Each structure stands twice: as structure tokens, then as C-alpha cells.
Amino acid sequence: MARLAPTRRDLLRGAAGAASLLAIRDRAPHRFPAGRYVDIHTHLGQRWGTLGALRAKELLEWMDAREIAQAVVLPLVSPEAWDIPLSTDFVLRETGPYRDRLIPFCSIDPRSIHLAGVEPKRALLERYVEAGAKGFGEHKPGVRIDHPGNVELFQACAELRLPMLLHLDRIRNIDEPGLPGLTRVLEAVPDGTFIAHAQGWWASISGAVTPEMMQTYPKEKVAPGGAIDTLLERFPNLYGDLSAGSGANAIARDPEFGRAFLIRRADQLLFGTDYLRPEQDVPQFELYRGLNLPQEARAKIFRGNARKLLGLE
Ligand SMILES: [Zn+2]
């Protein structure tokens, strides 16, 4: 029987083989490059910082080696967030030539007195959106999660349909065990899309959580009744960012619970690394290789959910 389409081997045979294969991939229905992962959480570094520079080209090479098709690049603007401010302007500039793969977010500190009220915050966010920003964060200011300036920002982001990536612990976006502050925010901004991250959020995978645990990496087995499950169930517009030591620890501390949690909440979880400096150790790859998740959960968590949220498909 005659074959209707050339096989991969046919295409690779001959001088133009590899080029033909690329041409076929380019005609595929999806605009985004092939790859196993979308990384919801990375940063670029400037040489002024104590950890030195991570330029866009180096980030892309690292992504290529790990089958990461696209990555969200997050500024850090609050004084509590990082050693130097990584401005939205810097992130927009660095990602400029690579917007098919590097997705810039923007950020504003809620205490900026020249941006009091929802209107001025929205006006600045609109300018960032015009310049290419696809989301808001990493939001990491030293205030309570339900600080009035935060709520104004979240309202402005909701109006502009910008997903918001929040770092929660005992110093930044502060909350209590049970996450009552985050619950108030979710009630106050029902149209927002929230992506929660860091120790304060991930310690809350367990029902047994103390204020101190919300700044650390608890090793105890997960107790049932964690605030995360309750909130994900109640708010379909809430997502968990699995990046960093906190995201890896939340799953690794109790792999049996962790695996069931990933499958149960596969529609609301996002793969991420928090890669921010060359040679950084990233635990997520080995962790997920060992979990043997069903194909459907992998496809959603590793790339599908992020692409939906960011409008990449
Ligand atoms: Zn980060």
C-alpha cells in the first residue's frame, strides 16, 4: 500500500531532510513552539544583583535543554522582594526579541503613594499591557495579603483580565493559618485570576499548620483539611504555582498525598521552577519524573493550564 505522507525517516533522508521536518512543524495548528513544559515562574537577573546576571539568551538555552517551550518572566519591584528591584521595564526590554517564548509580566507596589486608588493603578497597568505584559507579578510586597492597596491592585488587574501571581509568606502578602486573608481577597475580587506561590501558601496544603510553618518547608506528613484544597474547590479562578523549594516540598513531603493532590487538582496547578541564576538547582524535574502522573494530569499541569491562562492557544 502506498504511503500518503512521508515518514520522519523519509524526511530526514537527503540533504534537505531536517529543514523539511522543521517546515512541517511550523505548519502545525499551534503557534507555540513544541515542548514538554511551560514554566509559570522565572526571573532574569541584572549584574548589579548579589546573584549576578541571568540574561534572556542564557534562560532560553537552559529552557532548550529541559524541553521548556515558554516561560513567564517576572519582575520584582517591592523592597521586600529581592536584593535589587527587577523592574517591569527591564523585563519588557529583555524579553522583547523573544516574545514567542518569554512571556513578560508587570508589577506595581501597592504602597506607591502616587498611584492611590484603583484608577491610577489601572492606568499604569494599561501602559504595561500595551507594551506586552500578559500578567501581574511576582507580587511580593511586605504588607498583609488583604491590604487595601493590594485589593485595589487586584481589582484593576481583574478589570484588565491580567492573571496575578502572588508570593505569600510571613513577610510578604502576610496571612494566617487557614488563609483567611486570601479568602477575603478572593471574595472581594471574584473576577480575578489568582496564582498563589511560596511558603505561606504551600504550607497550607496541610490542615496542621502553625504561623512559623508559613515561612519554612515543613517535612511532616500532610494532615487532611488543608486550606488549599478548600480554596481550590471553592474558587475555580485560583491556581497553585508549583515552583521553587516551597512548591517542590509541598509535594515531596508526603508523595502519596502529593500525587493524589496533583491528580485531584490538575485543572488548577501550574508547573514552575523559579529559575533565576545560572547553575541553579531545580528539584521539580526529578520530582515529577518519579511521580508517574497520568498523561492527562501531566498535560494540564506541565503546559495546558498555563497556555489557557496566558491565551497562548
Ligand atoms: Zn520568584
Side-chain angles (χ1 to χ4, degrees), residues 41-43 74-76 82 138 140 165 167 197 241 243-244 273-276:
H41 195 136
T42 71
H43 303 279
L74 301 161
L76 290 164
W82 198 232
E138 179 175 0
K140 205 174 172 182
L165 195 149
H167 176 115
H197 152 80
D241 159 2
S243 74
T273 61
D274 212 348
Y275 192 68
L276 53 85

Side-chain angles (χ1 to χ4, degrees), residues 17-236:
S20 309
L21 193 63
L22 282 176
I24 282 187
R25 197 201 286 165
D26 285 345
R27 284 201 301 273
H30 298 297
R31 285 182 293 118
F32 46 80
R36 192 171 166 78
Y37 302 102
V38 173
D39 190 336
I40 197 69
H41 195 136
T42 71
H43 303 279
L44 293 169
Q46 287 175 299
R47 68 185 177 87
W48 317 107
T50 54
L51 290 177
L54 175 71
R55 304 299 304 268
K57 272 211 155 116
E58 293 168 283
L59 175 61
L60 286 163
E61 280 165 20
W62 176 83
M63 287 162 61
D64 285 341
R66 284 156 189 83
E67 296 183 90
I68 300 174
Q70 285 150 320
V72 169
V73 180
L74 301 161
L76 290 164
V77 303
S78 299
E80 298 85 358
W82 198 232
D83 56 349
I84 56 164
L86 297 174
S87 71
T88 301
D89 181 57
F90 165 68
V91 168
L92 288 168
R93 199 160 10 105
E94 280 283 304
T95 57
Y98 313 106
R99 291 284 170 78
D100 57 332
R101 298 190 65 196
L102 301 182
I103 318 293
F105 274 27
C106 60
S107 194
I108 296 174
D109 190 284
R111 294 159 294 187
S112 304
I113 56 169
H114 291 281
L115 298 172
V118 177
E119 281 289 320
K121 291 182 175 71
R122 188 178 50 224
L124 178 52
L125 289 169
E126 274 170 358
R127 294 170 76 136
Y128 286 147
V129 169
E130 274 167 35
K134 299 287 186 213
F136 178 79
E138 179 175 0
H139 189 57
K140 205 174 172 182
V143 300
R144 296 193 54 81
I145 181 73
D146 55 348
H147 180 281
N150 263 0
V151 176
E152 288 173 359
L153 267 171
F154 301 154
Q155 281 166 347
C157 287
E159 286 173 30
L160 296 172
R161 299 183 170 278
L162 288 174
M164 302 166 248
L165 195 149
L166 316 180
H167 176 115
L168 287 95
D169 62 22
R170 294 290 289 171
I171 304 169
R172 283 72 55 103
N173 289 318
I174 302 155
D175 206 349
E176 310 300 326
L179 301 175
L182 179 60
T183 307
R184 282 192 288 276
V185 162
L186 290 160
E187 286 168 350
V189 190
D191 297 332
T193 299
F194 294 90
I195 305 168
H197 152 80
Q199 298 98 311
W201 162 260
W202 280 119
S204 311
I205 196 169
S206 175
V209 54
T210 64
E212 295 70 36
M213 284 178 185
M214 297 178 75
Q215 192 64 55
T216 58
Y217 304 88
K219 296 293 172 214
E220 294 87 351
K221 276 202 171 289
V222 170
I228 288 183
D229 253 323
T230 308
L231 290 179
L232 290 176
E233 182 71 34
R234 190 175 157 201
F235 298 99

Side-chain angles (χ1 to χ4, degrees), residues 253-285:
R253 65 186 276 189
D254 187 342
E256 202 181 321
F257 183 96
R259 185 174 186 279
F261 171 82
L262 289 164
I263 295 167
R264 182 167 70 245
R265 301 294 171 201
D267 288 321
Q268 286 163 279
L269 297 172
L270 303 163
F271 174 85
T273 61
D274 212 348
Y275 192 68
L276 53 85
R277 65 180 156 83
E279 312 294 321
Q280 183 180 330
D281 184 39
V282 171
Q284 273 76 15
F285 299 105

